[in-house]
Amino acid sequence: MKTTRLLTLLISNLLVLNGSVCPLFAQAPTTPKILFTSARDGNYEVYIMNPDGSEQVNLTQHRANDVEAVWSPTGEQILFVSDRERNQGVLDRDLYLMDPDGSNVRRVFKREASRPEATWSPDGKQIAYMHINGDKDISAIYVTNLGEQEENFFANGLDPAWSPEGTEIACSTFGDGQIKLISVRTGAEKRILPRKELGGQMSPSWSAMGDKLAFSWNNNPLPPDFNRERGDKLPKEWRDKRTIYIVNSDGTDLQQLVPEDGSDAWAPALSPNGDEVLYTQEINGRNQIFKVDVSSGVRTQLTHISWNSGGDWFDPNYALPVSPQSHLLTTTWGKVKIKQNT
């Protein structure tokens, strides 16, 4: 009886610490799934599909624009960006949470701001994201503890991606456009690749093992008449050569995955096992989602209708048990019952 009372108290404390019952017992997918953005319903919505492109389902079903969805480490929550509060444009898009079936939608912050490009810490307790000050046209990467409202400046940059072991955040730096790894503890920075005049390296994405990074890049010389100080715009012919690369996290074995034979390829997302990379590319006048096999180079188109972009993988085989889950609590109850009957 005493053991039962102690376990009941433990479960109650866990529920209080997690804020509500719904996130605690949200059902994570039992098979690999991909989140992505689609405009097929007349506005941008968060969708889910299988890794082969089948069973594409609208999760948000809201008149607002819902974009940039990312899985929590355990797959029990989804973080996404929406303008559903004010619906006045990109600069009003803020962070929201929902359960994997699209239910239980709630804001992350009480104070409104533009906070796109979010990434989870591997323990699921923190997020890093872009914070855009529309009045001053200033943006930087910030970090916050989920459940708290305090925002902490982390670095100047964009496209943050938290490393799986939690010690570094990869991002693209302003100015030189280089992918850098920044220490979460010390703020020390290191480049993945040698410095170039105009890097244009964007959107880093880690493998679940933390040994590889995918990113988009235009690895071509600038047009000879290009003058950055004059404010010249890069021609479309040059921009269309941006494509997808993969590299070891120590900067070795750089590999181009997608040829420069079409429009630019962007928004890469490595599969948890590191075998495939999602990316977005325009085809027949509309953006579609593809995946490429890292070893064979075989490309597969996953979406075919309307406008689609982005992508974030979840695979339960690589999920980290960093928060209390209902099946773990059931297992504990089973062990208690065994002890009581012996």
Side-chain angles (χ1 to χ4, degrees):
M1 182 65 70
K2 183 177 180 180
T3 303
T4 302
R5 287 198 301 270
L6 288 174
L7 186 54
T8 302
L9 179 61
L10 172 62
I11 294 174
S12 299
N13 289 335
L14 290 174
L15 293 174
V16 171
L17 289 173
N18 281 270
S20 66
V21 176
C22 292
L24 179 63
F25 293 102
Q27 183 63 49
T30 57
T31 59
K33 296 290 182 180
I34 292 172
L35 295 171
F36 66 102
T37 299
S38 181
R40 66 190 63 180
D41 294 319
N43 65 311
Y44 292 109
E45 302 271 17
V46 175
Y47 275 71
I48 189 173
M49 65 178 169
N50 294 327
D52 63 359
S54 63
E55 298 182 20
Q56 299 182 12
V57 178
N58 185 340
L59 292 182
T60 48
Q61 300 180 5
H62 196 278
R63 65 182 180 276
N65 290 305
D66 302 318
V67 298
E68 299 178 14
V70 288
W71 292 104
S72 69
T74 59
E76 294 169 305
Q77 296 185 79
I78 295 171
L79 187 66
F80 69 102
V81 177
S82 179
D83 61 4
R84 59 181 59 196
E85 286 296 319
R86 292 187 291 178
N87 200 22
Q88 293 178 355
V90 175
L91 290 180
D92 296 324
R93 293 179 178 177
D94 207 351
L95 292 172
Y96 290 75
L97 286 165
M98 65 179 171
D99 290 351
D101 61 358
S103 64
N104 193 29
V105 177
R106 62 271 189 201
R107 291 182 64 94
V108 174
F109 294 96
K110 295 178 181 178
R111 183 177 179 180
E112 295 179 349
S114 180
R115 302 180 179 95
E117 301 177 13
T119 180
W120 293 81
S121 65
D123 63 3
K125 297 179 180 179
Q126 295 177 292
I127 55 173
Y129 51 91
M130 291 287 295
H131 189 292
I132 301 174
N133 186 324
D135 296 332
K136 298 181 180 180
D137 195 25
I138 297 174
S139 59
I141 298 172
Y142 279 70
V143 173
T144 192
N145 295 321
L146 276 176
E148 300 179 7
Q149 297 296 310
E150 182 179 356
E151 300 182 80
N152 302 296
F153 172 83
F154 178 73
N156 289 313
L158 65 159
D159 301 335
W162 216 307
S163 65
E165 81 285 353
T167 60
E168 297 174 311
I169 292 178
C171 66
S172 179
T173 55
F174 292 127
D176 58 8
Q178 299 283 305
I179 298 294
K180 288 185 179 179
L181 304 182
I182 304 179
S183 170
V184 174
R185 186 175 63 86
T186 67
E189 301 180 0
K190 60 182 179 182
R191 299 176 186 277
I192 289 291
L193 298 174
R195 185 185 182 97
K196 286 185 174 289
E197 180 183 358
L198 183 66
Q201 300 163 10
M202 301 181 67
S203 305
S205 173
W206 295 88
S207 65
M209 301 302 292
D211 58 336
K212 294 182 181 296
L213 280 160
F215 61 99
S216 62
W217 188 24
N218 187 334
N219 186 21
N220 290 278
L222 289 169
D225 58 346
F226 176 77
N227 189 320
R228 182 164 45 189
E229 295 180 359
R230 192 171 59 207
D232 290 353
K233 292 185 177 180
L234 291 163
K236 187 177 186 301
E237 293 77 14
W238 190 88
R239 288 185 283 113
D240 279 348
K241 294 182 179 180
R242 179 175 59 161
T243 188
I244 307 300
Y245 288 79
I246 191 170
V247 67
N248 292 335
S249 56
D250 62 2
T252 60
D253 196 21
L254 177 67
Q255 180 183 355
Q256 180 178 328
L257 296 179
V258 180
E260 300 170 2
D261 57 1
S263 61
D264 64 326
W266 48 286
L270 252 172
S271 63
N273 60 15
D275 291 343
E276 297 176 301
V277 178
L278 295 176
Y279 65 95
T280 303
Q281 190 171 35
E282 181 183 319
I283 181 170
N284 298 326
R286 293 184 175 183
N287 293 334
Q288 302 295 347
I289 300 173
F290 296 77
K291 68 177 180 180
V292 57
D293 186 280
V294 173
S295 298
S296 67
V298 173
R299 289 174 284 170
T300 305
Q301 185 173 343
L302 300 182
T303 61
H304 297 82
I305 61 174
S306 189
W307 291 76
N308 305 274
S309 63
D312 189 57
W313 300 76
F314 174 76
D315 188 334
N317 294 318
Y318 291 85
L320 300 176
V322 297
S323 65
Q325 301 176 65
S326 57
H327 68 273
L328 296 181
L329 296 176
T330 302
T331 302
T332 303
W333 273 112
K335 291 180 179 179
V336 171
K337 290 180 181 179
I338 292 174
K339 289 182 179 180
Q340 289 178 331
N341 293 328
T342 58

